[in-house]
Amino acid sequence: MRFRVSVVVFPGSNCDRDALHAAEAVMGAEARFVWHQERDLARPDLVILPGGFSYGDYLRCGAMARFSPVMESVVAYAERGGAVLGICNGFQVLCEAGLLPGVLLQNAGLRFVCREVRIRVESTQTPFTAAVPRGTVLRMPVAHGDGNWNAAPEVLRDLEAHDQVVFRYVGAGGDRAPGATPNGSMDDVAGVRNRRGNVLGLMPHPERAAEAILGSEDGARLFASFVRSAAGAAA
Amino acid sequence: MSYEPVTATRALLSEHKLTDEEYRRIQSVLGRDPNIVELGIFSALWSEHCSYKTSRVFLKEFPTKGPRVLQGPGENAGAVDIGDSLAVVFKMESHNHPSFIEPYQGAATGVGGILRDIFTMGARPVAVLDPLFFGPLDASRMHSLVDGVVRGISGYGNCIGIPTVGGSTFFHPSYAKNILVNVMAVGVVRHDRIFRAKAAGPGNPVLYVGSRTGRDGIHGASMASDVFDDEKAKRRPAVQVGDPFVEKLVLEGVLEVLQGDAVVAIQDMGAAGLTSSTFEMCSRGGVGMRLDLSKVPVREEGITPYELMLSESQERMVIVAHKGREEEVASVFRKWGVDAEVIGEVIAEPRMELLFAGEMVADLPIAPLVEDAPIYRRPFVLPVPAGEGGKSVALDGAPDDLTALKRLLASPNVSGKEWISSQYDWSVQGDTVVGPGSDAAVLRVKGTRKGLACSVAVNPRFVAADPGLGAAHAVVEAALNCAVTGARPLAVTDCLNFGNPERPEILGQFVAAVRGITGACLALDTPVISGNVSLYNETDGGSIVPTPTIGVVGLLEEVRDAVPCRFVREGDLVVLLGETRDEMGAGEYLATVLGREEGACPSLDLGAARAVVDLLVELASGRRLASAHDLSHGGLAVAAAEACFGAGLGVDLDLATDLAPVRALFSESAPRVLASILPGDEAAVLEAARRRGVPAAVVGRVVPESVRIAVRGRPALAERTGVLEAIWAGAFRDAMEEA
Amino acid sequence: MKLQITVIPRAGILDPQGKAIASALGRLGYTAVHAVRAGKVFRVEIDAADRESAREAGAAMARTLLANPVIEDFEVEVVD
Amino acid sequence: MKLQITVIPRAGILDPQGKAIASALGRLGYTAVHAVRAGKVFRVEIDAADRESAREAGAAMARTLLANPVIEDFEVEVVD
Ligand SMILES: Nc1ncnc2c1ncn2[C@@H]1O[C@H](COP(=O)(O)OP(=O)(O)O)[C@@H](O)[C@H]1O
Ligand SMILES: [Mg+2]
C-alpha cells in the first residue's frame, strides 16, 4: 500500500515543494498539493502544513492562513483523528487555528535565525516519534523569525502532565543548555502535540534534514516512524 | 492641456539629467519638441543606468560565447548548459543608492529585482548571494546601514523562499557615504523552457501583471546615474517598498504560465518600470506597441501618464501573449491572487503609441530610444598601478606573528559573518549541500547527480592598487572558490561598481578593470554571460574604490563528491598549491595590522590560475581531496586557521621558503590553495600537480586542537584552535551587537 | 468612516520587542523611560451606518483576526 | 506619564501588510472595509515634568528610533 500525503499550499507557503519531495523521495508516498481554496483533502494518510510565509506572515504568522477554506477540512480531519504535521509556518498555523496549544512569538533575539539545532525527543506518543526512542537527539535546521513558543504556565504544566511536549532544544551534549534554544521558547520547547497525538507541530525542519547529501538524515526518522506506525495501524 | 510640447528650460532638462546636446538630439529624432511624457521617457531610457551610454563601448570586449552558453548578455539574465537538458541562469545587480537612502527597502527590492530577472527567463530561482561593501562600522549611520541591509535581504529572500547561500562583506572607508549592495541570483531551467523578452506578432495582446502602480521611485533610474550628495539625500524621492509576498505569487504564476505556450515574451519591470520594459521588448523584436495607460492598475487616484511610465513600483511584469490566449494567461495569475490586465497590443511599426483617457500622450520611435541611444566615448586615462615595480613593502612596527594573526582574524573583513548569514534562510528548498561559511556554496540539482557551486569575489584593495590586475584577481578568486569544491567554473556574471565616469581617471579604472576581467575570463574559459554597471558611486566628491564584483557558477558532475573547505580528519597531509612570493602590497596584513594601504597588487599569472583550477577539478573528481580552501585575505596563516575551525582540529605546518616568516605567513600571492589529502595519496597528488606545472608541496599535517606554523623549522606561531576560532567567530557579532 | 484599532501584548505576556526598545532608548540617553510595550495599529476605512456600528465591526475584526486573544488586548476607536 | 506613539506608513508609500490584511478582511466577509494601513504602536512609560515635555521626548524618540522618517509618519499622544 502506498501512503497518501497531502501538502497544503497557502499563498506564500515556500517549503511546500520541499515537503512534497520529502514525502515522495523519503517516505515513498504518493504526495500531492492541496490548494488553500480547496476543501477536498484527497483522502490522505497524512496532511502536512509546510513552512513558509503564508499571506506574507504580515499580521501574525499563521493568522490569515487559518481562515483559508482548506483549514475547515484540516480541522475536521484532525478531529476525526487524521494525522497532521505542521512544520515551522505550519506549526504557527496550527496554533492560530487552536489545533495545538500555545503561541509562537517573535524570536527573543528579534532576528530571523537560520542554523542547525539539536532537538531531543521527549514524547513517543505520536506516530512521528513512536519509533524514535525518547531521549534521541536529532540534528536539523531551524529557519524562522517567530519561533518563540509560549503558553500560560498552567497550560505548560498541563502539557507536561500529558506528555505533550514532543521536542526540546538541547546542546551538543544532548542536555538542555544555555544558547541551545535559538528563539527563547519557554522551557526550550521545539514541538508539541495535541492530546490525542495525531497533530504535531514543530519549528525545526525535518524535511531539510532527510537525506545524507543535506548533511543530516535525522529528519527522515520522523517520516520513517510515521510510515511504520501507520503501517502497523493499517495491519 | 499638459501634453503640449515642453519648453526646454535649463531646470527642466537638468531635472531630467539631459544635456543640451541630448535635447537637440531628441528634437532631431522627433522633428519637434517632445511633450512632458516623452521627455520623461527619453530621460529614463537615455540614463546611464538604462542605456549604458558610457560603458557600452567597453563592455563589448568581454568574451561572451562558449560551447555551453545558451544565452549571453542582452536578455534578463544569461544561461549556461549544465547537461541533462538543464541550464543554469544567473545574473548580478546593484542596488547601491536606494540602499543608502533606506537600507531595508533598498536591499529588499534589490533582491526582488534580481529574482525577477531570473524567473522571467522561465527559471526557478535556487539561490541568492549578496556581496556587500560598507564603510567602517564607526562611520555615521553605518551600524544601522549594515543592520538594515541585512534585515532587508533577510526579509525579502526568506519570505519568498529562495535561500541566500553566500555573499561577501567588505569594509573600507571609501564606502562610508556610498555603500554597495550587490545581489546575485541563480536559477535552473529546462532548455526548452527558456523564455526571452522579445516582443513579436502584431495584434498580440500586452498584459500588465503584478502589483498596482504607485508613485514609487519615480526617477530611480536617473538617480542611479547621478552623483550623490547630502542635499539629494534630504529630498528623499519616494522610496520603493518591496512586497515579497506578492513577488512569491508572481513567481509561481509566471513559472506556471510559462509551462504552457500562451506566452510570446515576458519581461520584468525594473529600473524605469513600464518604460524600459516595453521599449526593450519592442527593440528586441523590431516591433512596436500601442498601450492604453488608463488600463494600468493603480494604487491611488490621479496618477499621471508621466508617473505611470516612470514609476518603479515593484513586483510587476509585462507579458506579450498569443492573440486569443490572454484570458488563459490572466486566469493563471488570478488563481495566484495577482492582477493581470490587457493594456494594449503589439503593432508592426516600431513605434510606441501611448494613450490615456482616449488621448495620445506619447508617440515615439523605438530604435532611437533604445538601440540607437547616445553612446559616449568619454576620455579616459588608464591608471598607473601602485607600488614601484612591485617593490617589497617595508613592515616596520610589525608585532609578533601570533598577535598579527589574531588581529587579522578579528578584522571586519576576515572575521566570520555568521551574524549575517544566520539571518538568511540558506536551507529553504532543501537543496543546500554547502551553505554560507565556505569558499563557495554548493546546491544539488534535484533529479540529477549534479551540483552547482556559487561564489562571489573581489578584493577592492587589489583593484584600487591596480584596476586591471585587481579585476583579474576577482575572476580568479571567484573561480577558485568554486574549483576548491571540485566544481568546474562555467561562466561569469559581474557588477561593475565605479565612481563618476565623467572623470577620466575613473573611466580609466573602469576600462582597465574590463580588460582585466576579459583576460582572466579568456584564460579560465569562463565567458561573461550577464552583468550590471553601477557608475556615479561618489558622494561629495569622494569616490568609492573601484569595485568590480565577480560572480561565478561552477558545475559538479557528482554533487556527493563536493570537497569541503575545512580539514576533516586528523592525520591527513596538508598540501600547499601555488607559489608564495613576497607580495604584501595592498594586503589585509598591511591594512589591518599596520594601518597602511600601499604597495603593489600581487602579481597574477593567468596560465597558472588555469592550471590550478584544472588541477583541483581533476583531483576532486578522482576523490583525492579531503578538503581544499583557497588563500585570500590574510594569506596562508588565516587560511590555515580557518580550515581548522568547526571540527576542533588543528594543523602543524612547516614552510620551506626563502621568505621572512611574516611574509611567508601573510603574503597574499595568488592563486594558492591549502588542501588536505589522505596519507598515501601524496605521490599521486604531487605528480598530478607537476604534470600541470602547479608548484605543490606537502607542508604539514592535520593534528588535534592547535594551530602551529613554523618557517624553515623555526616556530612562528602556535595557538589553540579554540582561542583563534572564538576571536574569529565573535569579532563581527560583538561589533554588531554591542552598540 | 475611519477606525483605529490598537493591538497590544497583554500585561504579563512576554514582549521582547518592547523590552529591546526600552533598553535601546536607555542607551540613546532617554533615561526617563521605564517601560515600553510594542504593539500594532490598524487604520481601517470602512462604510458604516453610524459610529457605533463601525466600532462594533472593528471589535469583531479585532477579535477574529487582528488580535490573538491568548496574548493580546485590543482597543477600537472611531477616528472620523 | 504614559505616551502612545503611533507609527504609520506615509501616504502613497506601499503598505504590503495593510494590503494583505484588507483582503483577508474582505475574504472574512467584512466587505465594507476599503482600505487598511498597518503600523506600529508603542506605549511608553516615562518620567516627565509635564505633558508638554513628555510629548517632546516622545517625538524625539520617534524621530531617532521608533519611526523611519523616509517612509513613516508618527503621532505622539500623552495618554495619562
Ligand atoms: N553578506 C554575506 N552574506 C552571506 N554570506 C556571507 C556574507 N559575507 C560573507 N559570507 C560568507 O562568509 C564566508 C567567507 O566569506 P569570504 O571571506 O568573502 O570568502 P572567501 O573565503 O572565499 O574569501 C563565505 O562563505 C561567504 O559566503
Ligand atoms: Mg575563498
Coordinates of all heavy atoms in Angstrom, one line a residue, chain B residues 90-128:
Chain B
F90 N 21.9 32.9 -14.4 CA 22.3 33.8 -13.3 C 22.7 35.2 -13.8 O 23.0 35.4 -14.9 CB 23.4 33.2 -12.5 CG 24.7 32.8 -13.2 CD1 25.8 33.6 -13.1 CD2 24.8 31.6 -13.8 CE1 27.0 33.3 -13.7 CE2 26.0 31.2 -14.5 CZ 27.1 32.1 -14.4
K91 N 22.7 36.1 -12.8 CA 23.0 37.5 -13.0 C 23.2 38.2 -11.7 O 22.7 37.7 -10.6 CB 21.8 38.1 -13.7 CG 22.0 39.6 -14.1 CD 20.9 40.2 -15.0 CE 21.3 41.5 -15.6 NZ 21.0 42.6 -14.9
M92 N 23.9 39.3 -11.7 CA 24.2 40.1 -10.5 C 23.8 41.5 -10.8 O 23.9 42.0 -12.0 CB 25.6 40.0 -10.1 CG 25.9 40.7 -8.8 SD 27.5 40.3 -8.0 CE 28.5 39.7 -9.3
E93 N 23.3 42.2 -9.8 CA 22.9 43.6 -10.0 C 23.2 44.4 -8.7 O 23.4 43.8 -7.6 CB 21.3 43.6 -10.2 CG 21.0 44.2 -11.5 CD 19.5 44.2 -11.8 OE1 18.7 44.3 -10.8 OE2 19.2 44.0 -13.0
S94 N 23.2 45.7 -8.9 CA 23.4 46.5 -7.7 C 22.1 47.2 -7.3 O 21.2 47.4 -8.1 CB 24.4 47.6 -8.1 OG 23.8 48.5 -9.1
H95 N 22.1 47.6 -6.0 CA 21.0 48.4 -5.5 C 21.6 49.4 -4.5 O 21.2 49.5 -3.4 CB 19.9 47.6 -4.9 CG 18.5 48.0 -5.5 ND1 17.4 48.0 -4.8 CD2 18.2 48.5 -6.7 CE1 16.4 48.4 -5.5 NE2 16.9 48.7 -6.7
N96 N 22.7 50.1 -5.0 CA 23.5 50.9 -4.1 C 22.8 52.2 -3.5 O 22.7 52.3 -2.3 CB 24.8 51.3 -4.8 CG 25.5 50.1 -5.4 OD1 25.4 49.0 -4.8 ND2 26.4 50.3 -6.4
H97 N 22.4 53.0 -4.4 CA 21.8 54.3 -4.0 C 20.6 54.1 -3.1 O 20.5 54.6 -2.1 CB 21.6 55.2 -5.2 CG 22.8 55.7 -5.8 ND1 23.4 55.2 -6.9 CD2 23.7 56.7 -5.4 CE1 24.5 55.8 -7.2 NE2 24.7 56.8 -6.3
P98 N 19.6 53.3 -3.6 CA 18.4 53.1 -2.8 C 18.8 52.5 -1.4 O 18.1 52.9 -0.4 CB 17.6 52.1 -3.6 CG 18.1 52.2 -5.0 CD 19.5 52.6 -4.9
S99 N 19.8 51.7 -1.3 CA 20.1 51.1 0.0 C 20.7 52.1 0.9 O 20.6 52.0 2.2 CB 21.0 49.9 -0.2 OG 20.4 48.9 -1.0
F100 N 21.4 53.1 0.4 CA 22.0 54.1 1.2 C 20.9 55.0 1.8 O 20.9 55.5 2.9 CB 23.0 54.9 0.5 CG 23.8 55.9 1.3 CD1 24.7 55.4 2.2 CD2 23.6 57.2 1.3 CE1 25.4 56.3 3.0 CE2 24.3 58.1 2.1 CZ 25.2 57.6 3.0
I101 N 19.8 55.3 1.0 CA 18.7 56.1 1.4 C 17.9 55.4 2.4 O 17.5 55.9 3.5 CB 17.9 56.5 0.2 CG1 18.7 57.4 -0.7 CG2 16.6 57.3 0.7 CD1 18.0 57.8 -2.0
E102 N 17.5 54.1 2.2 CA 16.6 53.4 3.0 C 17.1 51.9 3.0 O 16.7 51.2 2.1 CB 15.2 53.5 2.5 CG 14.1 53.3 3.5 CD 14.3 52.2 4.5 OE1 14.0 51.1 4.2 OE2 14.8 52.5 5.6
P103 N 18.0 51.6 3.9 CA 18.7 50.3 3.7 C 17.8 49.1 3.7 O 18.0 48.2 2.9 CB 19.6 50.2 5.0 CG 19.1 51.3 5.9 CD 18.4 52.3 5.1
Y104 N 16.7 49.0 4.5 CA 15.9 47.8 4.5 C 15.2 47.7 3.1 O 15.4 46.7 2.4 CB 14.8 47.9 5.6 CG 14.0 46.6 5.7 CD1 14.3 45.7 6.6 CD2 13.0 46.4 4.8 CE1 13.6 44.5 6.7 CE2 12.3 45.2 4.8 CZ 12.6 44.3 5.8 OH 11.8 43.1 5.8
Q105 N 14.5 48.7 2.7 CA 13.8 48.6 1.5 C 14.7 48.6 0.3 O 14.4 47.9 -0.7 CB 12.7 49.7 1.3 CG 11.6 49.7 2.4 CD 10.8 48.5 2.3 OE1 10.8 47.8 1.3 NE2 10.1 48.2 3.4
G106 N 15.8 49.3 0.3 CA 16.7 49.3 -0.8 C 17.3 47.9 -1.0 O 17.3 47.5 -2.2
A107 N 17.7 47.3 0.0 CA 18.3 45.9 -0.2 C 17.2 44.9 -0.5 O 17.4 44.1 -1.4 CB 19.0 45.5 1.1
A108 N 16.1 45.1 0.1 CA 15.0 44.1 -0.1 C 14.6 44.2 -1.6 O 14.4 43.1 -2.3 CB 13.8 44.4 0.8
T109 N 14.4 45.4 -2.1 CA 13.9 45.5 -3.5 C 15.0 45.1 -4.5 O 14.8 44.7 -5.6 CB 13.4 46.9 -3.8 OG1 14.4 47.9 -3.5 CG2 12.1 47.2 -3.1
G110 N 16.3 45.2 -4.0 CA 17.4 44.7 -4.8 C 17.3 43.2 -5.0 O 17.5 42.6 -6.1
V111 N 16.9 42.5 -3.9 CA 16.7 41.0 -4.0 C 15.5 40.7 -5.0 O 15.6 39.9 -5.9 CB 16.4 40.4 -2.7 CG1 16.1 38.9 -2.8 CG2 17.6 40.6 -1.7
G112 N 14.5 41.5 -4.8 CA 13.3 41.3 -5.6 C 13.6 41.5 -7.1 O 13.1 40.7 -7.9
G113 N 14.3 42.5 -7.4 CA 14.6 42.8 -8.8 C 15.4 41.7 -9.5 O 15.1 41.3 -10.6
I114 N 16.5 41.3 -8.8 CA 17.3 40.3 -9.5 C 16.6 38.9 -9.6 O 16.8 38.2 -10.6 CB 18.7 40.2 -8.7 CG1 19.7 39.3 -9.6 CG2 18.5 39.5 -7.4 CD1 20.1 40.0 -10.8
L115 N 15.7 38.6 -8.6 CA 15.0 37.4 -8.8 C 14.0 37.4 -9.9 O 13.9 36.5 -10.7 CB 14.2 37.1 -7.5 CG 15.1 36.7 -6.3 CD1 14.2 36.6 -5.0 CD2 15.7 35.3 -6.6
R116 N 13.4 38.6 -10.2 CA 12.5 38.7 -11.4 C 13.3 38.5 -12.6 O 12.8 37.9 -13.6 CB 11.9 40.1 -11.4 CG 10.7 40.2 -10.4 CD 9.8 41.4 -10.7 NE 10.5 42.7 -10.5 CZ 10.8 43.2 -9.3 NH1 10.5 42.6 -8.2 NH2 11.4 44.4 -9.3
D117 N 14.6 39.0 -12.7 CA 15.4 38.7 -13.9 C 15.6 37.2 -14.1 O 15.7 36.8 -15.3 CB 16.8 39.4 -13.7 CG 16.7 40.9 -14.0 OD1 15.9 41.3 -14.8 OD2 17.5 41.6 -13.5
I118 N 15.6 36.5 -13.1 CA 15.8 35.0 -13.2 C 14.5 34.3 -13.6 O 14.5 33.5 -14.6 CB 16.4 34.4 -11.9 CG1 17.7 35.1 -11.5 CG2 16.5 32.9 -12.0 CD1 18.8 35.0 -12.5
F119 N 13.4 34.6 -12.9 CA 12.3 33.9 -13.3 C 11.6 34.3 -14.6 O 10.8 33.6 -15.2 CB 11.3 33.6 -12.1 CG 10.6 34.8 -11.5 CD1 9.5 35.4 -12.2 CD2 10.9 35.3 -10.3 CE1 8.8 36.5 -11.6 CE2 10.3 36.3 -9.7 CZ 9.2 36.9 -10.4
T120 N 11.9 35.6 -15.0 CA 11.3 35.9 -16.3 C 12.0 35.1 -17.4 O 11.4 35.0 -18.5 CB 11.6 37.4 -16.8 OG1 12.9 37.8 -16.3 CG2 10.6 38.3 -16.3
M121 N 13.1 34.5 -17.1 CA 13.8 33.6 -18.1 C 13.1 32.2 -18.1 O 13.5 31.3 -18.8 CB 15.3 33.5 -17.8 CG 16.1 34.7 -17.9 SD 16.3 35.4 -19.6 CE 17.2 34.1 -20.4
G122 N 12.2 32.1 -17.2 CA 11.5 30.8 -17.1 C 12.2 29.9 -16.0 O 11.7 28.8 -15.8
A123 N 13.2 30.4 -15.4 CA 14.0 29.6 -14.5 C 13.4 29.7 -13.0 O 13.0 30.8 -12.6 CB 15.4 30.0 -14.5
R124 N 13.4 28.6 -12.3 CA 13.1 28.7 -10.9 C 14.3 29.1 -10.1 O 15.4 28.5 -10.2 CB 12.6 27.4 -10.4 CG 12.2 27.5 -8.9 CD 11.4 26.2 -8.4 NE 10.0 26.2 -8.8 CZ 9.0 26.8 -8.2 NH1 9.3 27.5 -7.1 NH2 7.8 26.8 -8.7
P125 N 14.3 30.3 -9.4 CA 15.4 30.7 -8.7 C 15.8 29.7 -7.6 O 14.9 29.1 -6.9 CB 15.0 32.0 -8.0 CG 13.8 32.5 -8.8 CD 13.1 31.2 -9.3
V126 N 17.1 29.4 -7.5 CA 17.5 28.4 -6.5 C 18.5 29.0 -5.4 O 18.7 28.4 -4.4 CB 18.2 27.2 -7.1 CG1 17.2 26.4 -8.0 CG2 19.5 27.6 -7.9
A127 N 19.0 30.2 -5.7 CA 20.0 30.8 -4.7 C 20.2 32.3 -4.9 O 20.0 32.8 -6.1 CB 21.3 30.1 -4.8
V128 N 20.5 32.9 -3.8 CA 20.8 34.3 -3.8 C 22.2 34.5 -3.1 O 22.4 33.7 -2.2 CB 19.8 35.2 -3.1 CG1 20.3 36.6 -2.8 CG2 18.5 35.2 -3.9

